Amino acid sequence: MASVNVRDQKIEQQRQLMELKMKQKRQNSGMVQANDLRVGSAKRPISGSRSRELHGYDGPMQFLMSPVNPDQVIPLQTNRISTYDELGNQIEVLTIDDDNSGEEEEESVPVCSVGRDASTDDICADAAVAPMQARIPRRDDSPSQTAEIEGSVEGAVETFVTTPAKHGTLYKCRIARDRKGMDRGLYPTYFLHLEKDYGKKVFLLAARKRKKSATSNYLISTDPTELTRQADSFAGKLRSNLLGTAFTVYDNGKAWRKHDHAKTRYELASIIYDTNVLGFKGPRKMTVILPGMTPDRQRVAIVPQDDSETLLERLKSQNYDDIVVLHNKTPVWNEETQSYVLNFHGRVTQASVKNFQIVHDSDPEYVVMQFGRISEDVFTMDFRYPLCALQAFGIALSSFDSKLACE
């Protein structure tokens, strides 16, 4: 017994000495920056289950009492692996596997610094929002909790893009931005496709910013070769105010006139971006106003005959009859990556000030729409009920537009 106690004391002294040396090294080396965290994370051991790490420890912790029989000692499955500490020094680690291996903790991926977008054309005061790795379903998740029908085009495209999404259905889309050509650097063309299995996709809508307009004005069409108001493929438009802080999505009708009610246009959505006061750096704040839905899940017609009946004025006057007010989900600050993060469930891979999720305040877990960057000019756009493709596309286009009062 005496020899065992002496051995344990020596082990404890060695452990304390090692901890003291590592502490001194950390103090002399300074803080680890966010970019270093990314390099360090690649050196960490990756295992299928969450493990407790016992640095340089080889004692009684190898055994635990049985929860059923306290007198029974159960050896644990341990592994010695070589890894690196925070300073890049190679060390040996003893890992002990936990029973709850089915649960995985979410980690945010390393992102760019606050205040700068991932791309060179998005430098602004708003903070980039980074994607968080999707949660891996737990063992007790039932199919009804995780499964969701993926939507497809039904009927003519012209009708589909204006019809509200089916309840319980997710429509996964992709937006490609084309900036090639003489003037497409300032007036790019955007193409919306519905994603299908095996990398296939179905074209839905195209849009381009109109030239010689006092305010930002995007024309939306179901034909990428006919981006004009006169074409039969004209589906609607997105128009902003002078500062670019408020946008409205219209269908293909005309403005209401007292003596001409033929094909009067409907307001489908309005988007408001909060102004950036005193250069405050943080994620964008969005408010989305939609027409209300009837009990049989049909969209309420919003046909303003004067400015007081528009979606924007209804919100300002707090007239919430026949409208639905949504907001972007507030990103979470991640200390490790020094960035704002959201869980896009693997659909977004790059940080951007344009990344957002739209939710209702009463149910923040039901994401009505999400939008985010996956490459320089490719973005994903997913939407659910009560949105239609034209509404979601218009909301996404408003995120592309420059906002003088928000930058």
Side-chain angles (χ1 to χ4, degrees):
M1 288 293 295
S3 61
V4 174
N5 292 334
V6 172
R7 178 175 174 271
D8 291 342
Q9 289 177 1
K10 289 183 178 180
I11 292 174
E12 181 65 17
Q13 290 175 358
Q14 291 176 357
R15 185 183 64 82
Q16 293 177 359
L17 182 61
M18 185 176 65
E19 288 183 353
L20 180 61
K21 289 182 178 179
M22 292 183 65
K23 183 178 180 180
Q24 290 175 349
K25 286 184 179 180
R26 284 195 295 267
Q27 291 174 347
N28 296 332
S29 302
M31 298 297 291
V32 179
Q33 300 300 318
N35 288 340
D36 296 332
L37 288 175
R38 183 169 190 172
V39 175
S41 64
K43 298 177 180 178
R44 296 173 185 168
I46 300 175
S47 90
S49 62
R50 184 168 35 174
S51 301
R52 290 196 297 268
E53 294 183 355
L54 307 176
H55 292 272
Y57 193 82
D58 188 18
M61 278 292 290
Q62 289 188 52
F63 302 87
L64 292 180
M65 294 296 180
S66 168
V68 179
N69 184 4
D71 296 328
Q72 181 183 1
V73 177
I74 303 176
L76 294 180
Q77 297 296 324
T78 60
N79 296 301
R80 259 183 213 282
I81 56 176
S82 179
T83 182
Y84 297 82
D85 63 14
E86 295 89 340
L87 303 176
N89 301 316
Q90 188 170 5
I91 60 174
E92 271 198 343
V93 175
L94 181 68
T95 62
I96 298 178
D97 295 334
D98 281 343
D99 291 335
N100 54 348
S101 59
E103 299 180 7
E104 293 283 345
E105 290 184 351
E106 295 176 350
E107 287 190 18
S108 57
V109 297
V111 296
C112 62
S113 59
V114 176
R116 185 180 179 92
D117 197 309
S119 69
T120 56
D121 65 322
D122 291 327
I123 302 174
C124 65
D126 292 321
V129 177
M132 180 187 294
Q133 289 183 355
R135 181 180 73 84
I136 298 176
R138 302 183 180 183
R139 294 176 181 176
D140 57 351
D141 283 344
S142 62
S144 61
Q145 291 176 316
T146 58
E148 188 172 26
I149 300 173
E150 292 189 11
S152 59
V153 177
E154 298 181 7
V157 173
E158 292 79 7
T159 303
F160 170 79
V161 296
T162 59
T163 303
K166 286 187 175 182
H167 199 270
T169 304
L170 174 65
Y171 295 85
K172 294 182 177 181
C173 302
R174 183 164 298 200
I175 297 177
R177 176 173 57 184
D178 182 7
R179 293 190 287 188
K180 299 176 182 177
M182 291 295 293
D183 59 353
R184 289 192 178 179
L186 295 174
Y187 303 96
T189 303
Y190 302 89
F191 301 95
L192 175 68
H193 290 84
L194 181 68
E195 294 182 357
K196 301 295 290 181
D197 294 335
Y198 308 110
K200 296 181 179 180
K201 54 187 180 179
V202 178
F203 172 79
L204 297 179
L205 293 165
R208 192 178 186 188
K209 192 173 184 178
R210 300 180 68 186
K211 305 175 185 177
K212 300 179 182 179
S213 294
T215 61
S216 295
N217 198 323
Y218 293 80
L219 190 144
I220 306 173
S221 171
T222 55
D223 186 346
T225 64
E226 289 287 342
L227 289 168
T228 63
R229 287 182 60 91
Q230 292 73 32
D232 293 336
S233 58
F234 173 56
K237 72 173 185 177
L238 171 75
R239 189 180 68 186
S240 78
N241 63 356
L242 189 60
L243 294 177
T245 56
F247 297 78
T248 300
V249 182
Y250 302 94
D251 70 352
N252 57 1
K254 298 179 181 179
W256 185 86
R257 292 180 176 84
K258 188 174 182 179
H259 303 292
D260 183 11
H261 296 172
K263 193 55 178 176
T264 303
R265 72 184 179 192
Y266 289 66
E267 286 194 359
L268 299 180
S270 287
I271 309 99
I272 302 173
Y273 291 85
D274 285 3
T275 55
N276 191 348
V277 181
L278 301 178
F280 173 76
K281 292 185 178 182
R284 289 177 174 176
K285 294 183 179 179
M286 302 168 58
T287 301
V288 177
I289 311 109
L290 303 176
M293 304 298 290
T294 63
D296 59 347
R297 295 173 179 168
Q298 298 299 311
R299 188 184 306 116
V300 174
I302 303 294
V303 189
Q305 298 184 10
D306 55 60
D307 291 341
S308 64
E309 297 180 353
T310 64
L311 289 172
L312 292 172
E313 288 300 322
R314 289 176 186 230
L315 181 67
K316 290 180 181 178
S317 61
Q318 297 184 352
N319 177 15
Y320 299 116
D321 294 339
D322 296 332
I323 66 171
V324 177
V325 181
L326 308 173
H327 295 95
N328 66 312
K329 195 171 186 178
T330 305
V332 179
W333 177 255
N334 186 301
E335 284 292 342
E336 183 180 357
T337 61
Q338 291 293 295
S339 61
Y340 292 94
V341 296
L342 279 174
N343 189 352
F344 290 92
H345 300 278
R347 293 284 292 161
V348 177
T349 58
Q350 293 189 7
S352 173
V353 297
K354 298 177 175 63
N355 297 348
F356 65 81
Q357 292 177 328
I358 300 298
V359 298
H360 193 275
D361 292 344
S362 64
D363 188 6
E365 297 306 314
Y366 181 79
V367 179
V368 178
M369 172 187 173
Q370 70 176 24
F371 172 82
R373 181 192 296 274
I374 59 175
S375 68
E376 179 68 20
D377 289 306
V378 181
F379 304 78
T380 56
M381 185 198 84
D382 304 339
F383 67 95
R384 296 180 172 91
Y385 176 88
L387 287 178
C388 68
L390 181 58
Q391 288 172 312
F393 192 37
I395 296 170
L397 289 173
S398 73
S399 182
F400 285 110
D401 198 73
S402 61
K403 301 158 184 62
L404 296 178
C406 299
E407 308 298 330

